[in-house]
Amino acid sequence: MLHDLSLDVRAGELLGLLGPSGSGKTTLLRIIAGLDAPDRGRILFGGDDATGLPVQQRAVGFVFQHYALFKHMTVADNIAYGLNARRRAERPARAEIKRRVGDLLDLIRLSGFGDRYPSQLSGGQRQRVALARALAVEPRVLLLDEPFGALDAQVRKDLRRWLREIHDRTGQTTIFVTHDQDEALELSDRVAVLDKGRLEQVGTPDEVQENPVSATVLKFLGDSVEVEAIAEGGRVSVRGRETPVAAPAGLLGPVKLYVRPWQLQLVEPEAAHLAGTVRSSYRSQGRQRIEVEEPGGHILAVEDFDGVRYAAGHPVGLRINGGYVFG
Amino acid sequence: MSEIFSPVRVAEARPAPVTGEGAGVRGALIVIAITFLALFLVLPLGAVFVQAFAHGVGAYLDAFKEPDALSAIRLTLTVAAIAVPFNLVFGVAASWAIAKFEFPGKAFLITLIDLPFSVSPVVSGLIYVLLFGSRGLFGGWLQEHNIQILFALPGIVLATIFVTFPFVARELIPLMQEQGSSEEEAALTLGASGWHAFRTVTLPNIRWGLLYSVLLCNARAMGEFGAVSVVSGHIRGLTNTMPLHVEILYNEYNFVAAFAVASLLAALALVTLVVKSVLEWRYAGELAAGRKH
């Protein structure tokens, strides 16, 4: 599942592990937690080698996609579980546990819900309880496995913002797994993109979007169209016309140019790199998406301001204002 | 305005559900089912109690004053008291292993657990005769060391355990599989030891299924006839369990005593049934669906 990879997580950061399903991101998270064992390699926390440590001693907080709350316990007992599970000598006094549970209930904005059972809560509330339960043991690192995966769109959005707030307030080192690019780009300090068990790129959301290291990363971070191009003299040209895209040094000959929909512009045929006819278009949130069919049948997606509307069959020219090539 | 929407008489126009049969067929099916139940289940059960009290309460109670009857009751309770906890531990361990881990031979183990259900109880008893009988595999060795297994308590307990061991495991495996292991994993990441997680998370999650299966296991352990009959040797006052004692009394034409002891077994069955129904009604969601015995 996972190939050799090395990932440094900085203290206090919120790191998003992003990848399509089956990319190994959950496996990586479980290996960090100690729930799965790696065939080889090491897990270091700070300077300490945690590879041989059983899950109980790793001091991680793990939040599961489907909450995994203890159904037969109240919300307060769920949150206090980790503290109550400690050996008598290390267990805080009962009053202290109660106080910590109260603080955490305030933090997750569920004060007064302590006596309820998980079945009486909504999905978003359950996931907040799961987070409080994980935070209660003051973990060295908080691990979230698709934490919003089972929630509907609106709750997801609220919880994202709220998780970011909690992180900013507690400074807790956090790794979360997601297959949702928007979620990773919005929440993370840094994003680690995984594909087929390989770590493709690690960087801030801006870095991975502006300088994706591979076509895989580029494709996974959003829509793109592939255009046949030629690299010569440090420039990339399409159909004999130069584009603003610079070719990496040493790259010569036919290359694949990846263009985002918003890097294409509808223009008069004389100034165009590409030409075709409008196939369909739709408007959404002040923008319009136009599908253009090239003579060969190749479909190009263009994103533009919601200005002039074109009927299907209308001939158009497309100018390439930017794009990515990989050596 | 409201006249435009002329009321549609939905109730009258409602089409019959496709699976619904005519009133005649429905009635006939219900009558057949009830008659069948009355003839083959309620009537015999009632007959047991009628026969038991045929000569009055005094005669009924006299049946339990006999030393042989008392010893049969004691033996049955002893056997159940050993066999049921044994199967409880085995059942929980097997279900845990099967539901939470992947290991080679898992499918084979599941099949093996079902074996006692598919084998005739007489054969189950004979297995132990073949193993521990005087001409059996270990017979000579046991005789040399003066260890009595057949025609004694150990043999009866072994046969009972064999016959009743699927009950707990078969109830718990689907239940535990359905629940998955993420709650246990959550407990472990929170610092709980394996045993602590089992006690505080797994056990509460399976408690009703466990109670339910232990009841069934107990009812079968006390009522088992075939396998026990083969290994017991029918020594009065020593190796006769209640079902065997009933048979002996019956063969001696001592009907009142036979049915009196039988009524105890019947009462046990009824109590089991009632508690089982209450559990099913109250905790249906927490019992494994679709695998009711």
Side-chain angles (χ1 to χ4, degrees):
Chain A
M1 270 289 278
L2 278 178
H3 299 278
D4 292 353
L5 62 84
S6 171
L7 176 62
D8 260 316
V9 184
R10 296 173 191 156
E13 83 172 331
L14 182 54
L15 180 93
L17 276 182
L18 176 66
S21 50
S23 58
K25 51 196 192 305
T26 294
T27 308
L28 179 57
L29 200 72
R30 290 176 60 89
I31 287 175
I32 297 171
L35 290 171
D36 285 335
D39 301 323
R40 58 205 156 91
R42 296 196 300 156
I43 306 288
L44 303 173
F45 286 172
D48 314 333
D49 193 339
T51 317
L53 280 185
V55 50
Q56 291 93 339
Q57 288 166 32
R58 291 216 184 172
V60 296
F62 203 99
V63 173
F64 295 80
Q65 180 176 2
H66 296 286
Y67 329 125
L69 291 178
F70 308 127
K71 299 187 271 293
H72 59 285
M73 291 182 203
T74 61
V75 166
D77 286 343
N78 263 283
I79 297 175
Y81 186 88
L83 299 174
N84 285 324
R86 288 185 185 169
R87 262 174 288 140
R88 195 173 296 269
E90 299 161 21
R91 198 186 305 155
R94 200 179 283 181
E96 167 66 9
I97 291 179
K98 209 177 159 197
R99 193 189 59 76
R100 295 242 302 253
V101 169
D103 287 350
L104 284 160
L105 281 171
D106 291 343
L107 183 74
I108 60 169
R109 292 191 303 232
L110 284 176
S111 330
F113 281 67
D115 293 333
R116 303 228 187 153
Y117 284 88
S119 60
Q120 297 166 303
L121 303 180
S122 71
Q125 291 171 334
R126 285 182 210 184
Q127 199 56 297
R128 274 142 66 190
V129 174
L131 189 76
R133 181 178 70 177
L135 286 172
V137 293
E138 291 169 341
R140 304 180 70 164
V141 54
L142 184 63
L143 306 169
L144 311 165
D145 184 13
E146 298 266 5
F148 314 122
L151 304 170
D152 56 51
Q154 191 54 47
V155 182
R156 261 178 112 106
K157 266 195 176 153
D158 291 347
L159 270 191
R160 265 192 222 172
R161 197 172 318 125
W162 172 80
L163 179 67
R164 183 71 232 186
E165 271 175 42
I166 296 248
H167 177 266
D168 292 345
R169 206 173 330 156
T170 58
Q172 173 77 56
T173 308
T174 304
I175 305 175
F176 78 101
V177 156
T178 181
H179 62 265
D180 182 330
Q181 307 86 341
D182 279 346
E183 196 166 287
L185 296 173
E186 178 185 338
L187 267 180
S188 319
D189 293 323
R190 288 194 309 150
V191 181
V193 184
L194 276 167
D195 185 60
K196 299 197 187 84
R198 288 178 206 284
L199 184 62
E200 293 277 336
Q201 188 171 8
V202 189
T204 65
D206 286 348
E207 278 164 18
V208 294
Q209 286 182 94
E210 282 160 22
N211 299 307
V213 296
S214 66
T216 315
V217 174
L218 174 112
K219 284 184 196 163
F220 192 63
L221 288 176
D223 291 341
S224 64
V225 293
E226 271 180 51
V227 178
E228 302 295 339
I230 306 281
E232 51 188 349
R235 285 272 148 211
V236 175
S237 35
V238 173
R239 315 273 145 87
R241 206 181 281 259
E242 257 190 19
T243 66
V245 183
L251 194 64
L252 266 179
V255 289
K256 277 208 160 42
L257 175 65
Y258 296 89
V259 186
R260 298 283 189 207
W262 52 89
Q263 291 171 326
L264 284 172
Q265 190 188 355
L266 294 171
V267 291
E268 295 305 314
E270 307 79 75
H273 292 104
L274 303 163
T277 53
V278 172
R279 195 158 170 265
S280 66
S281 72
Y282 72 90
R283 284 193 252 185
S284 169
Q285 312 201 31
R287 314 269 300 166
Q288 64 173 328
R289 282 281 267 214
I290 305 147
E291 281 194 343
V292 175
E293 188 172 351
E294 281 193 292
H298 193 57
I299 306 288
L300 305 166
V302 184
E303 197 172 309
D304 206 349
F305 288 110
D306 187 5
V308 187
R309 301 270 290 165
Y310 297 94
H314 191 280
V316 288
L318 295 173
R319 210 171 92 89
I320 295 169
N321 289 330
Y324 309 87
V325 283
F326 301 99
Chain B
M1 276 297 275
S2 64
E3 272 112 63
I4 299 169
F5 304 98
S6 61
V8 180
R9 298 195 180 276
V10 177
E12 286 172 23
R14 187 168 52 196
V18 282
T19 54
E21 301 295 343
V25 178
R26 214 182 316 154
L29 282 174
I30 292 171
V31 168
I32 290 173
I34 289 179
T35 315
F36 189 87
L37 278 176
L39 269 176
F40 291 93
L41 290 174
V42 181
L43 201 62
L45 199 60
V48 169
F49 287 95
V50 170
Q51 284 286 344
F53 289 101
H55 297 280
V57 179
Y60 176 82
L61 291 177
D62 280 344
F64 300 112
K65 283 181 187 148
E66 238 197 286
D68 285 355
L70 286 176
S71 112
I73 294 172
R74 205 176 307 125
L75 180 62
T76 294
L77 291 177
T78 311
V79 169
I82 301 172
V84 173
F86 210 94
N87 279 328
L88 172 74
V89 172
F90 166 79
V92 172
S95 323
W96 177 275
I98 287 168
K100 315 265 172 176
F101 304 117
E102 290 303 323
F103 54 91
K106 187 164 140 173
F108 182 63
L109 182 60
I110 297 174
T111 315
L112 219 55
I113 288 173
D114 276 344
L115 185 72
F117 276 166
S118 49
V119 168
S120 159
V122 177
V123 177
S124 312
L126 278 174
I127 294 168
Y128 291 101
V129 174
L130 288 174
L131 283 176
F132 305 124
S134 52
R135 269 179 255 165
L137 209 51
F138 305 110
W141 188 87
L142 289 170
Q143 236 159 21
E144 275 169 33
H145 294 78
N146 212 10
I147 301 170
Q148 186 79 21
I149 289 185
L150 275 191
F151 316 130
L153 182 66
I156 300 173
V157 169
L158 281 176
T160 307
I161 287 176
F162 182 89
V163 171
T164 57
F165 90 54
F167 283 98
V168 175
R170 277 188 51 146
E171 171 66 25
L172 293 188
I173 289 169
L175 180 63
M176 285 177 141
Q177 276 174 338
E178 187 189 296
Q179 291 178 342
S181 35
S182 56
E183 281 186 48
E184 281 84 3
E185 287 180 346
L188 297 183
T189 59
L190 291 167
S193 65
W195 172 242
H196 186 82
F198 177 76
R199 224 162 29 81
T200 54
V201 176
T202 312
L203 216 50
N205 274 341
I206 61 169
R207 60 195 155 173
W208 300 117
L210 197 60
L211 181 57
Y212 176 97
S213 58
V214 162
L215 271 173
L216 290 180
C217 182
N218 182 57
R220 182 65 195 269
M222 291 191 173
E224 176 54 26
F225 179 83
V228 169
S229 171
V230 176
V231 296
S232 114
H234 302 267
I235 307 166
R236 279 194 174 214
L238 276 181
T239 65
N240 268 344
T241 60
M242 279 164 76
L244 301 182
H245 187 63
V246 171
E247 193 208 15
I248 288 181
L249 290 172
Y250 185 81
N251 286 341
E252 291 171 346
Y253 304 103
N254 192 350
F255 295 132
V256 169
F259 283 108
V261 178
S263 73
L264 269 191
L265 284 170
L268 167 76
L270 286 177
V271 169
T272 306
L273 211 63
V274 168
V275 179
K276 169 178 167 306
S277 306
V278 169
L279 281 179
E280 271 176 3
W281 165 70
R282 179 78 180 72
Y283 301 104
E286 292 178 42
L287 297 171
R291 284 289 287 265
K292 302 283 177 282
H293 299 288

